[in-house]
Amino acid sequence: MSYKIAFLPGDGVGPEVAAAARAISVAAAEKFDIPLEFHDYDFGGIAIDKDGDPFPPETKKACMAADAVFLGAVGGPKWDGGGLRPEAGLLELRKTLGLYANLRPLRIVPGMEEMSPLKSDRAQNVDMLMVRELTGGIYFGKREEGTEFASDECAYSREEVIRVARIAFEAAKGRRGKVTSVDKANVLATSRLWRSVVNELHAAEFSGIELEHVLVDAMAMKLIQAPAAFDVVLTENMFGDILSDEASVITGSIGLAPSASLGDRKAGLYEPIHGSAPDIAGHDKANPVGAILSAAMMFRHSFDAGAPASAIENAIETALSEGFGTRDVGRSDTCSAFSDHVAALLSR
Ligand code: NAD
Ligand code: IPM
Ligand code: MN
């Protein structure tokens, strides 16, 4: 039996960073003797151009049958003019696969504090896991589109909060034992439900974990002021989208940040947190680290293979500490040169 990966390169820098992640996955799979099969499918803007649908039926069928889905990125100015949007395909993919928990680890590579835009002492020891709710909230509420009036409803049910909060508390057990739940309970009804359900679950099942609640505006500030204070950060869909971009840059660049989107099945979706970066696409300049570390998460979460995951993570750390890296982290490698170097380190 081999693990089947539905491979969706997507748009912009998506194909560039996804190719790097695929090459590193193949190298790690060979080294640890794990049989993998990659199968390519159209997704996003390129699928709109070819098939008139950002998430065509053939792609959907393959994603539902796969052991894991790997995505580069989608979107770009070409599809911003109205009509079908690549991003709608991504939301449908997450919803179709029931991937309600988006895990975004954000960690400064020890010794690499110089990559951070923060002063080195503040960047030191940053190591957090953002757990972002991914299939509810304002992204999926009732929507009214219009030129005179428009609305986006934000809704959450108790069950939607419980299942993602449980993932955050469980993750904290294997880390430093602290969860920061972020909401806007001073204004929003959904946030008041969020906070009370998180408190209930904490009291019932996770009282050994330290829990704090922080309002989202203050969180935006605290992330800059003292990012090392956070362990697991639990939040709803849109707050998590925004705060994870902010936190990623504290570790050096958005190009470094991976993600895993998980539900109740073993199969997950793996993608870097960044977008299609149209400003650098096509120039072999993109940082592939977020995509490569997403592949490591795929081995760990969907294939129960911790050894190749750790080997990939170690190779990335070694490459960065030896001075390799792309321009966004102040180094001079191309995307493909950096990826080749990581592959060479892996097969050592
Ligand atoms: P973006 O993340 O694509 O880019 C933001 C900035 O970060 C740009 O300056 C870009 O050059 C830089 N950047 C991003 N990834 C990088 C990498 N790997 N290496 C080096 N630099 C990198 O965000 P945006 O510009 O707001 O969005 C562009 C498009 O991507 C939009 O269409 C948006 O909807 C889409 N998007 C897709 C995803 C996804 O597919 N998961 C995520 C975010 C945005
Ligand atoms: C992300 C992206 C997506 C989101 C967009 C492209 C739909 O920004 O994965 O963070 O908002 O979830
Ligand atoms: Mn985002």
Side-chain angles (χ1 to χ4, degrees):
M1 192 213 107
S2 56
Y3 291 108
K4 285 192 185 54
I5 300 159
F7 187 70
L8 321 177
D11 310 314
V13 298
E16 301 169 38
V17 297
R22 180 174 179 154
I24 301 305
S25 299
V26 168
E30 269 170 22
K31 180 168 181 166
F32 291 91
D33 206 16
I34 296 173
L36 296 187
E37 278 176 43
F38 282 89
H39 299 276
D40 294 49
Y41 296 94
D42 293 336
F43 185 68
I46 187 171
I48 294 178
D49 292 351
K50 281 202 205 166
D51 313 300
D53 182 349
F55 189 27
E58 192 200 347
T59 304
K60 189 177 292 179
K61 206 172 138 202
C63 289
M64 287 167 74
D67 296 300
V69 180
F70 192 92
L71 169 65
V74 296
K78 184 175 178 191
W79 304 281
D80 281 342
L84 287 172
R85 294 201 63 109
E87 294 86 349
L90 180 53
L91 299 182
E92 197 190 338
L93 169 62
R94 292 168 176 171
K95 195 75 168 179
T96 302
L97 297 184
L99 306 170
Y100 56 82
N102 182 220
L103 274 46
R104 298 186 161 189
L106 300 149
R107 179 170 169 267
I108 190 111
V109 177
M112 294 292 102
E113 289 79 7
E114 106 247 359
M115 298 191 303
S116 177
L118 293 188
K119 294 192 182 95
S120 291
D121 58 326
R122 295 212 173 172
Q124 228 167 29
N125 301 322
V126 170
D127 182 0
M128 72 185 101
L129 174 68
M130 224 172 255
V131 178
R132 169 191 176 195
E133 200 290 326
L134 201 61
T135 52
I138 200 166
Y139 277 65
F140 291 92
K142 210 166 59 189
R143 184 157 289 145
E144 217 179 305
E145 206 96 37
T147 52
E148 301 299 320
F149 174 84
S151 75
D152 302 277
E153 182 186 84
C154 181
Y156 270 109
S157 69
R158 162 178 292 272
E159 189 44 43
E160 284 176 312
V161 181
I162 287 183
R163 62 187 186 178
V164 71
R166 177 167 281 119
I167 291 202
F169 284 124
E170 288 292 349
K173 279 187 188 167
R175 296 176 49 98
R176 303 195 302 281
K178 178 179 170 191
V179 171
T180 303
S181 178
V182 178
D183 62 37
K184 185 74 184 172
N186 53 345
V187 177
L188 302 175
T190 42
S191 281
R192 287 190 283 272
L193 173 71
W194 183 279
R195 194 177 281 213
S196 76
V197 171
V198 169
N199 277 333
E200 266 178 47
L201 182 68
H202 177 249
E205 294 179 35
F206 298 100
S207 53
I209 301 289
E210 183 190 345
L211 170 66
E212 67 175 356
H213 300 279
V214 178
L215 296 172
V216 64
D217 47 354
M219 187 65 183
M221 176 194 80
K222 288 177 188 231
L223 273 176
I224 299 293
Q225 206 170 41
F230 300 104
D231 181 14
V232 175
V233 176
L234 164 67
T235 192
E236 64 92 56
N237 203 341
M238 188 161 73
F239 297 160
D241 179 43
I242 297 168
L243 293 178
S244 57
D245 272 28
E246 183 190 352
S248 76
V249 95
I250 292 169
T251 70
S253 162
I254 192 171
L256 297 168
S259 88
S261 302
L262 307 174
D264 294 327
R265 298 164 58 236
K266 198 87 203 146
L269 163 67
Y270 301 88
E271 51 170 326
I273 80 163
H274 64 76
S276 61
D279 52 337
I280 56 168
H283 297 285
D284 200 14
K285 283 182 183 165
N287 190 336
V289 170
I292 295 171
L293 292 177
S294 302
M297 294 182 88
M298 171 176 78
F299 278 99
R300 190 172 280 123
H301 293 281
S302 286
F303 309 156
D304 282 325
S310 301
I312 293 172
E313 289 159 355
N314 290 339
I316 292 282
E317 284 207 22
T318 304
L320 289 172
S321 55
E322 284 176 352
F324 295 90
T326 45
R327 290 166 24 147
D328 53 311
V329 289
R331 310 284 170 76
S332 57
D333 290 315
T334 60
C335 176
S336 49
F338 181 82
S339 164
D340 289 348
H341 187 68
V342 175
L345 282 171
L346 249 186
S347 46
R348 246 190 224 166

PDB file of all heavy atoms in Angstrom, residues 150-182:
ATOM      1  N   ALA A 150     -24.470  45.227   1.501  1.00  0.00           N
ATOM      2  CA  ALA A 150     -23.896  43.876   1.534  1.00  0.00           C
ATOM      3  C   ALA A 150     -23.802  43.426   2.984  1.00  0.00           C
ATOM      4  O   ALA A 150     -23.708  44.273   3.887  1.00  0.00           O
ATOM      5  CB  ALA A 150     -22.508  43.865   0.899  1.00  0.00           C
ATOM      6  N   SER A 151     -23.857  42.109   3.221  1.00  0.00           N
ATOM      7  CA  SER A 151     -23.690  41.639   4.595  1.00  0.00           C
ATOM      8  C   SER A 151     -23.049  40.268   4.622  1.00  0.00           C
ATOM      9  O   SER A 151     -23.194  39.468   3.691  1.00  0.00           O
ATOM     10  CB  SER A 151     -25.036  41.614   5.323  1.00  0.00           C
ATOM     11  OG  SER A 151     -25.800  40.526   4.879  1.00  0.00           O
ATOM     12  N   ASP A 152     -22.301  40.001   5.708  1.00  0.00           N
ATOM     13  CA  ASP A 152     -21.674  38.707   5.964  1.00  0.00           C
ATOM     14  C   ASP A 152     -22.015  38.331   7.388  1.00  0.00           C
ATOM     15  O   ASP A 152     -21.619  39.040   8.317  1.00  0.00           O
ATOM     16  CB  ASP A 152     -20.148  38.805   5.832  1.00  0.00           C
ATOM     17  CG  ASP A 152     -19.711  39.285   4.465  1.00  0.00           C
ATOM     18  OD1 ASP A 152     -19.627  38.471   3.553  1.00  0.00           O
ATOM     19  OD2 ASP A 152     -19.448  40.512   4.328  1.00  0.00           O
ATOM     20  N   GLU A 153     -22.728  37.245   7.549  1.00  0.00           N
ATOM     21  CA  GLU A 153     -23.138  36.851   8.888  1.00  0.00           C
ATOM     22  C   GLU A 153     -22.051  36.005   9.555  1.00  0.00           C
ATOM     23  O   GLU A 153     -21.443  35.153   8.922  1.00  0.00           O
ATOM     24  CB  GLU A 153     -24.418  36.022   8.769  1.00  0.00           C
ATOM     25  CG  GLU A 153     -24.994  35.567  10.085  1.00  0.00           C
ATOM     26  CD  GLU A 153     -26.176  34.626   9.873  1.00  0.00           C
ATOM     27  OE1 GLU A 153     -25.949  33.425   9.676  1.00  0.00           O
ATOM     28  OE2 GLU A 153     -27.319  35.120   9.877  1.00  0.00           O
ATOM     29  N   CYS A 154     -21.837  36.240  10.857  1.00  0.00           N
ATOM     30  CA  CYS A 154     -20.910  35.410  11.620  1.00  0.00           C
ATOM     31  C   CYS A 154     -21.708  34.542  12.581  1.00  0.00           C
ATOM     32  O   CYS A 154     -22.433  35.066  13.424  1.00  0.00           O
ATOM     33  CB  CYS A 154     -19.936  36.294  12.400  1.00  0.00           C
ATOM     34  SG  CYS A 154     -18.748  35.319  13.345  1.00  0.00           S
ATOM     35  N   ALA A 155     -21.602  33.238  12.418  1.00  0.00           N
ATOM     36  CA  ALA A 155     -22.355  32.340  13.299  1.00  0.00           C
ATOM     37  C   ALA A 155     -21.449  31.217  13.788  1.00  0.00           C
ATOM     38  O   ALA A 155     -20.552  30.770  13.067  1.00  0.00           O
ATOM     39  CB  ALA A 155     -23.542  31.751  12.536  1.00  0.00           C
ATOM     40  N   TYR A 156     -21.670  30.785  15.038  1.00  0.00           N
ATOM     41  CA  TYR A 156     -20.992  29.610  15.591  1.00  0.00           C
ATOM     42  C   TYR A 156     -21.970  28.807  16.436  1.00  0.00           C
ATOM     43  O   TYR A 156     -22.807  29.381  17.130  1.00  0.00           O
ATOM     44  CB  TYR A 156     -19.779  30.009  16.460  1.00  0.00           C
ATOM     45  CG  TYR A 156     -18.507  30.093  15.660  1.00  0.00           C
ATOM     46  CD1 TYR A 156     -17.909  31.318  15.377  1.00  0.00           C
ATOM     47  CD2 TYR A 156     -17.921  28.935  15.158  1.00  0.00           C
ATOM     48  CE1 TYR A 156     -16.752  31.388  14.615  1.00  0.00           C
ATOM     49  CE2 TYR A 156     -16.766  29.002  14.392  1.00  0.00           C
ATOM     50  CZ  TYR A 156     -16.189  30.224  14.123  1.00  0.00           C
ATOM     51  OH  TYR A 156     -15.053  30.288  13.360  1.00  0.00           O
ATOM     52  N   SER A 157     -21.847  27.495  16.372  1.00  0.00           N
ATOM     53  CA  SER A 157     -22.633  26.640  17.260  1.00  0.00           C
ATOM     54  C   SER A 157     -21.723  26.128  18.373  1.00  0.00           C
ATOM     55  O   SER A 157     -20.491  26.115  18.238  1.00  0.00           O
ATOM     56  CB  SER A 157     -23.204  25.452  16.478  1.00  0.00           C
ATOM     57  OG  SER A 157     -22.145  24.583  16.109  1.00  0.00           O
ATOM     58  N   ARG A 158     -22.328  25.701  19.472  1.00  0.00           N
ATOM     59  CA  ARG A 158     -21.587  25.107  20.592  1.00  0.00           C
ATOM     60  C   ARG A 158     -20.664  23.989  20.106  1.00  0.00           C
ATOM     61  O   ARG A 158     -19.485  23.936  20.453  1.00  0.00           O
ATOM     62  CB  ARG A 158     -22.620  24.568  21.594  1.00  0.00           C
ATOM     63  CG  ARG A 158     -22.099  23.549  22.594  1.00  0.00           C
ATOM     64  CD  ARG A 158     -23.207  23.138  23.547  1.00  0.00           C
ATOM     65  NE  ARG A 158     -23.549  24.282  24.396  1.00  0.00           N
ATOM     66  CZ  ARG A 158     -22.935  24.541  25.552  1.00  0.00           C
ATOM     67  NH1 ARG A 158     -21.998  23.747  26.003  1.00  0.00           N
ATOM     68  NH2 ARG A 158     -23.268  25.594  26.257  1.00  0.00           N
ATOM     69  N   GLU A 159     -21.195  23.094  19.265  1.00  0.00           N
ATOM     70  CA  GLU A 159     -20.424  21.946  18.804  1.00  0.00           C
ATOM     71  C   GLU A 159     -19.189  22.382  17.995  1.00  0.00           C
ATOM     72  O   GLU A 159     -18.110  21.786  18.102  1.00  0.00           O
ATOM     73  CB  GLU A 159     -21.336  21.025  17.966  1.00  0.00           C
ATOM     74  CG  GLU A 159     -20.726  19.692  17.596  1.00  0.00           C
ATOM     75  CD  GLU A 159     -19.988  18.991  18.740  1.00  0.00           C
ATOM     76  OE1 GLU A 159     -20.507  18.981  19.885  1.00  0.00           O
ATOM     77  OE2 GLU A 159     -18.867  18.473  18.488  1.00  0.00           O
ATOM     78  N   GLU A 160     -19.375  23.415  17.183  1.00  0.00           N
ATOM     79  CA  GLU A 160     -18.229  23.898  16.376  1.00  0.00           C
ATOM     80  C   GLU A 160     -17.108  24.440  17.272  1.00  0.00           C
ATOM     81  O   GLU A 160     -15.924  24.312  16.953  1.00  0.00           O
ATOM     82  CB  GLU A 160     -18.686  25.019  15.423  1.00  0.00           C
ATOM     83  CG  GLU A 160     -19.455  24.513  14.214  1.00  0.00           C
ATOM     84  CD  GLU A 160     -19.975  25.655  13.357  1.00  0.00           C
ATOM     85  OE1 GLU A 160     -20.586  26.606  13.928  1.00  0.00           O
ATOM     86  OE2 GLU A 160     -19.781  25.634  12.140  1.00  0.00           O
ATOM     87  N   VAL A 161     -17.486  25.066  18.389  1.00  0.00           N
ATOM     88  CA  VAL A 161     -16.467  25.606  19.298  1.00  0.00           C
ATOM     89  C   VAL A 161     -15.798  24.462  20.073  1.00  0.00           C
ATOM     90  O   VAL A 161     -14.570  24.405  20.182  1.00  0.00           O
ATOM     91  CB  VAL A 161     -17.077  26.642  20.275  1.00  0.00           C
ATOM     92  CG1 VAL A 161     -15.996  27.209  21.194  1.00  0.00           C
ATOM     93  CG2 VAL A 161     -17.764  27.771  19.505  1.00  0.00           C
ATOM     94  N   ILE A 162     -16.620  23.537  20.561  1.00  0.00           N
ATOM     95  CA  ILE A 162     -16.073  22.439  21.377  1.00  0.00           C
ATOM     96  C   ILE A 162     -15.011  21.634  20.616  1.00  0.00           C
ATOM     97  O   ILE A 162     -13.923  21.369  21.127  1.00  0.00           O
ATOM     98  CB  ILE A 162     -17.200  21.477  21.851  1.00  0.00           C
ATOM     99  CG1 ILE A 162     -18.028  22.142  22.931  1.00  0.00           C
ATOM    100  CG2 ILE A 162     -16.598  20.168  22.381  1.00  0.00           C
ATOM    101  CD1 ILE A 162     -19.120  21.271  23.512  1.00  0.00           C
ATOM    102  N   ARG A 163     -15.322  21.267  19.380  1.00  0.00           N
ATOM    103  CA  ARG A 163     -14.407  20.341  18.693  1.00  0.00           C
ATOM    104  C   ARG A 163     -13.049  20.988  18.390  1.00  0.00           C
ATOM    105  O   ARG A 163     -12.015  20.326  18.493  1.00  0.00           O
ATOM    106  CB  ARG A 163     -15.066  19.760  17.430  1.00  0.00           C
ATOM    107  CG  ARG A 163     -15.435  20.793  16.384  1.00  0.00           C
ATOM    108  CD  ARG A 163     -16.226  20.170  15.248  1.00  0.00           C
ATOM    109  NE  ARG A 163     -16.439  21.167  14.203  1.00  0.00           N
ATOM    110  CZ  ARG A 163     -17.053  20.930  13.062  1.00  0.00           C
ATOM    111  NH1 ARG A 163     -17.530  19.722  12.798  1.00  0.00           N
ATOM    112  NH2 ARG A 163     -17.193  21.886  12.163  1.00  0.00           N
ATOM    113  N   VAL A 164     -13.041  22.278  18.080  1.00  0.00           N
ATOM    114  CA  VAL A 164     -11.743  22.913  17.801  1.00  0.00           C
ATOM    115  C   VAL A 164     -11.010  23.237  19.109  1.00  0.00           C
ATOM    116  O   VAL A 164      -9.781  23.133  19.202  1.00  0.00           O
ATOM    117  CB  VAL A 164     -11.892  24.153  16.879  1.00  0.00           C
ATOM    118  CG1 VAL A 164     -12.560  25.323  17.584  1.00  0.00           C
ATOM    119  CG2 VAL A 164     -10.536  24.571  16.323  1.00  0.00           C
ATOM    120  N   ALA A 165     -11.783  23.596  20.154  1.00  0.00           N
ATOM    121  CA  ALA A 165     -11.160  23.893  21.450  1.00  0.00           C
ATOM    122  C   ALA A 165     -10.502  22.629  22.005  1.00  0.00           C
ATOM    123  O   ALA A 165      -9.410  22.683  22.586  1.00  0.00           O
ATOM    124  CB  ALA A 165     -12.201  24.427  22.433  1.00  0.00           C
ATOM    125  N   ARG A 166     -11.147  21.477  21.783  1.00  0.00           N
ATOM    126  CA  ARG A 166     -10.581  20.225  22.274  1.00  0.00           C
ATOM    127  C   ARG A 166      -9.208  19.978  21.621  1.00  0.00           C
ATOM    128  O   ARG A 166      -8.254  19.558  22.292  1.00  0.00           O
ATOM    129  CB  ARG A 166     -11.547  19.073  21.993  1.00  0.00           C
ATOM    130  CG  ARG A 166     -11.007  17.735  22.414  1.00  0.00           C
ATOM    131  CD  ARG A 166     -12.046  16.622  22.430  1.00  0.00           C
ATOM    132  NE  ARG A 166     -12.881  16.674  23.621  1.00  0.00           N
ATOM    133  CZ  ARG A 166     -14.189  16.836  23.633  1.00  0.00           C
ATOM    134  NH1 ARG A 166     -14.849  16.982  22.491  1.00  0.00           N
ATOM    135  NH2 ARG A 166     -14.848  16.865  24.765  1.00  0.00           N
ATOM    136  N   ILE A 167      -9.114  20.267  20.339  1.00  0.00           N
ATOM    137  CA  ILE A 167      -7.824  20.095  19.645  1.00  0.00           C
ATOM    138  C   ILE A 167      -6.752  21.004  20.252  1.00  0.00           C
ATOM    139  O   ILE A 167      -5.609  20.597  20.467  1.00  0.00           O
ATOM    140  CB  ILE A 167      -8.008  20.332  18.133  1.00  0.00           C
ATOM    141  CG1 ILE A 167      -8.837  19.167  17.590  1.00  0.00           C
ATOM    142  CG2 ILE A 167      -6.661  20.529  17.415  1.00  0.00           C
ATOM    143  CD1 ILE A 167      -8.754  18.881  16.141  1.00  0.00           C
ATOM    144  N   ALA A 168      -7.151  22.227  20.604  1.00  0.00           N
ATOM    145  CA  ALA A 168      -6.181  23.165  21.192  1.00  0.00           C
ATOM    146  C   ALA A 168      -5.721  22.675  22.568  1.00  0.00           C
ATOM    147  O   ALA A 168      -4.515  22.670  22.870  1.00  0.00           O
ATOM    148  CB  ALA A 168      -6.795  24.558  21.297  1.00  0.00           C
ATOM    149  N   PHE A 169      -6.659  22.243  23.406  1.00  0.00           N
ATOM    150  CA  PHE A 169      -6.285  21.755  24.745  1.00  0.00           C
ATOM    151  C   PHE A 169      -5.417  20.503  24.649  1.00  0.00           C
ATOM    152  O   PHE A 169      -4.434  20.353  25.378  1.00  0.00           O
ATOM    153  CB  PHE A 169      -7.535  21.468  25.586  1.00  0.00           C
ATOM    154  CG  PHE A 169      -8.207  22.717  26.125  1.00  0.00           C
ATOM    155  CD1 PHE A 169      -9.548  22.979  25.854  1.00  0.00           C
ATOM    156  CD2 PHE A 169      -7.505  23.624  26.916  1.00  0.00           C
ATOM    157  CE1 PHE A 169     -10.173  24.124  26.359  1.00  0.00           C
ATOM    158  CE2 PHE A 169      -8.123  24.769  27.427  1.00  0.00           C
ATOM    159  CZ  PHE A 169      -9.462  25.016  27.147  1.00  0.00           C
ATOM    160  N   GLU A 170      -5.792  19.598  23.758  1.00  0.00           N
ATOM    161  CA  GLU A 170      -4.985  18.379  23.588  1.00  0.00           C
ATOM    162  C   GLU A 170      -3.569  18.742  23.144  1.00  0.00           C
ATOM    163  O   GLU A 170      -2.589  18.167  23.626  1.00  0.00           O
ATOM    164  CB  GLU A 170      -5.624  17.435  22.549  1.00  0.00           C
ATOM    165  CG  GLU A 170      -6.892  16.725  23.024  1.00  0.00           C
ATOM    166  CD  GLU A 170      -6.658  15.688  24.124  1.00  0.00           C
ATOM    167  OE1 GLU A 170      -5.499  15.341  24.402  1.00  0.00           O
ATOM    168  OE2 GLU A 170      -7.673  15.244  24.724  1.00  0.00           O
ATOM    169  N   ALA A 171      -3.451  19.695  22.214  1.00  0.00           N
ATOM    170  CA  ALA A 171      -2.133  20.100  21.727  1.00  0.00           C
ATOM    171  C   ALA A 171      -1.307  20.704  22.865  1.00  0.00           C
ATOM    172  O   ALA A 171      -0.098  20.472  22.974  1.00  0.00           O
ATOM    173  CB  ALA A 171      -2.268  21.097  20.577  1.00  0.00           C
ATOM    174  N   ALA A 172      -1.964  21.452  23.748  1.00  0.00           N
ATOM    175  CA  ALA A 172      -1.249  22.105  24.860  1.00  0.00           C
ATOM    176  C   ALA A 172      -0.641  21.072  25.809  1.00  0.00           C
ATOM    177  O   ALA A 172       0.411  21.305  26.405  1.00  0.00           O
ATOM    178  CB  ALA A 172      -2.184  23.040  25.620  1.00  0.00           C
ATOM    179  N   LYS A 173      -1.305  19.921  25.949  1.00  0.00           N
ATOM    180  CA  LYS A 173      -0.785  18.850  26.813  1.00  0.00           C
ATOM    181  C   LYS A 173       0.616  18.416  26.388  1.00  0.00           C
ATOM    182  O   LYS A 173       1.457  18.120  27.210  1.00  0.00           O
ATOM    183  CB  LYS A 173      -1.686  17.611  26.729  1.00  0.00           C
ATOM    184  CG  LYS A 173      -2.917  17.664  27.581  1.00  0.00           C
ATOM    185  CD  LYS A 173      -3.579  16.284  27.504  1.00  0.00           C
ATOM    186  CE  LYS A 173      -4.927  16.265  28.169  1.00  0.00           C
ATOM    187  NZ  LYS A 173      -5.678  15.032  27.812  1.00  0.00           N
ATOM    188  N   GLY A 174       0.847  18.383  25.069  1.00  0.00           N
ATOM    189  CA  GLY A 174       2.147  17.951  24.564  1.00  0.00           C
ATOM    190  C   GLY A 174       3.119  19.117  24.402  1.00  0.00           C
ATOM    191  O   GLY A 174       4.206  18.950  23.840  1.00  0.00           O
ATOM    192  N   ARG A 175       2.722  20.319  24.844  1.00  0.00           N
ATOM    193  CA  ARG A 175       3.607  21.484  24.711  1.00  0.00           C
ATOM    194  C   ARG A 175       3.837  22.077  26.109  1.00  0.00           C
ATOM    195  O   ARG A 175       4.141  21.358  27.032  1.00  0.00           O
ATOM    196  CB  ARG A 175       2.981  22.498  23.745  1.00  0.00           C
ATOM    197  CG  ARG A 175       2.847  21.954  22.324  1.00  0.00           C
ATOM    198  CD  ARG A 175       2.121  22.949  21.417  1.00  0.00           C
ATOM    199  NE  ARG A 175       2.672  24.287  21.532  1.00  0.00           N
ATOM    200  CZ  ARG A 175       3.560  24.818  20.679  1.00  0.00           C
ATOM    201  NH1 ARG A 175       3.949  24.127  19.620  1.00  0.00           N
ATOM    202  NH2 ARG A 175       4.027  26.045  20.858  1.00  0.00           N
ATOM    203  N   ARG A 176       3.658  23.405  26.277  1.00  0.00           N
ATOM    204  CA  ARG A 176       3.954  24.021  27.575  1.00  0.00           C
ATOM    205  C   ARG A 176       2.721  24.153  28.474  1.00  0.00           C
ATOM    206  O   ARG A 176       2.756  24.801  29.512  1.00  0.00           O
ATOM    207  CB  ARG A 176       4.636  25.376  27.356  1.00  0.00           C
ATOM    208  CG  ARG A 176       5.921  25.263  26.528  1.00  0.00           C
ATOM    209  CD  ARG A 176       6.810  26.495  26.595  1.00  0.00           C
ATOM    210  NE  ARG A 176       6.189  27.736  26.172  1.00  0.00           N
ATOM    211  CZ  ARG A 176       6.013  28.080  24.896  1.00  0.00           C
ATOM    212  NH1 ARG A 176       6.383  27.273  23.919  1.00  0.00           N
ATOM    213  NH2 ARG A 176       5.442  29.233  24.589  1.00  0.00           N
ATOM    214  N   GLY A 177       1.606  23.560  28.036  1.00  0.00           N
ATOM    215  CA  GLY A 177       0.442  23.474  28.920  1.00  0.00           C
ATOM    216  C   GLY A 177      -0.345  24.755  29.095  1.00  0.00           C
ATOM    217  O   GLY A 177      -0.987  24.960  30.121  1.00  0.00           O
ATOM    218  N   LYS A 178      -0.328  25.636  28.063  1.00  0.00           N
ATOM    219  CA  LYS A 178      -1.063  26.891  28.198  1.00  0.00           C
ATOM    220  C   LYS A 178      -1.877  27.166  26.930  1.00  0.00           C
ATOM    221  O   LYS A 178      -1.376  26.998  25.817  1.00  0.00           O
ATOM    222  CB  LYS A 178      -0.061  28.032  28.428  1.00  0.00           C
ATOM    223  CG  LYS A 178      -0.720  29.401  28.537  1.00  0.00           C
ATOM    224  CD  LYS A 178       0.317  30.490  28.794  1.00  0.00           C
ATOM    225  CE  LYS A 178      -0.308  31.865  28.644  1.00  0.00           C
ATOM    226  NZ  LYS A 178       0.697  32.938  28.637  1.00  0.00           N
ATOM    227  N   VAL A 179      -3.124  27.578  27.107  1.00  0.00           N
ATOM    228  CA  VAL A 179      -3.961  27.972  25.964  1.00  0.00           C
ATOM    229  C   VAL A 179      -4.401  29.422  26.157  1.00  0.00           C
ATOM    230  O   VAL A 179      -4.879  29.798  27.223  1.00  0.00           O
ATOM    231  CB  VAL A 179      -5.208  27.060  25.837  1.00  0.00           C
ATOM    232  CG1 VAL A 179      -6.179  27.623  24.798  1.00  0.00           C
ATOM    233  CG2 VAL A 179      -4.807  25.635  25.451  1.00  0.00           C
ATOM    234  N   THR A 180      -4.208  30.228  25.109  1.00  0.00           N
ATOM    235  CA  THR A 180      -4.734  31.592  25.087  1.00  0.00           C
ATOM    236  C   THR A 180      -5.889  31.602  24.101  1.00  0.00           C
ATOM    237  O   THR A 180      -5.685  31.354  22.900  1.00  0.00           O
ATOM    238  CB  THR A 180      -3.650  32.586  24.619  1.00  0.00           C
ATOM    239  OG1 THR A 180      -2.526  32.478  25.489  1.00  0.00           O
ATOM    240  CG2 THR A 180      -4.175  34.022  24.622  1.00  0.00           C
ATOM    241  N   SER A 181      -7.101  31.829  24.574  1.00  0.00           N
ATOM    242  CA  SER A 181      -8.254  31.868  23.682  1.00  0.00           C
ATOM    243  C   SER A 181      -8.543  33.325  23.340  1.00  0.00           C
ATOM    244  O   SER A 181      -8.664  34.172  24.224  1.00  0.00           O
ATOM    245  CB  SER A 181      -9.465  31.217  24.356  1.00  0.00           C
ATOM    246  OG  SER A 181     -10.586  31.306  23.498  1.00  0.00           O
ATOM    247  N   VAL A 182      -8.613  33.598  22.042  1.00  0.00           N
ATOM    248  CA  VAL A 182      -8.754  34.984  21.574  1.00  0.00           C
ATOM    249  C   VAL A 182     -10.152  35.201  21.023  1.00  0.00           C
ATOM    250  O   VAL A 182     -10.637  34.422  20.190  1.00  0.00           O
ATOM    251  CB  VAL A 182      -7.699  35.282  20.487  1.00  0.00           C
ATOM    252  CG1 VAL A 182      -7.854  36.702  19.951  1.00  0.00           C
ATOM    253  CG2 VAL A 182      -6.289  35.075  21.033  1.00  0.00           C
TER     254      VAL A 182
END
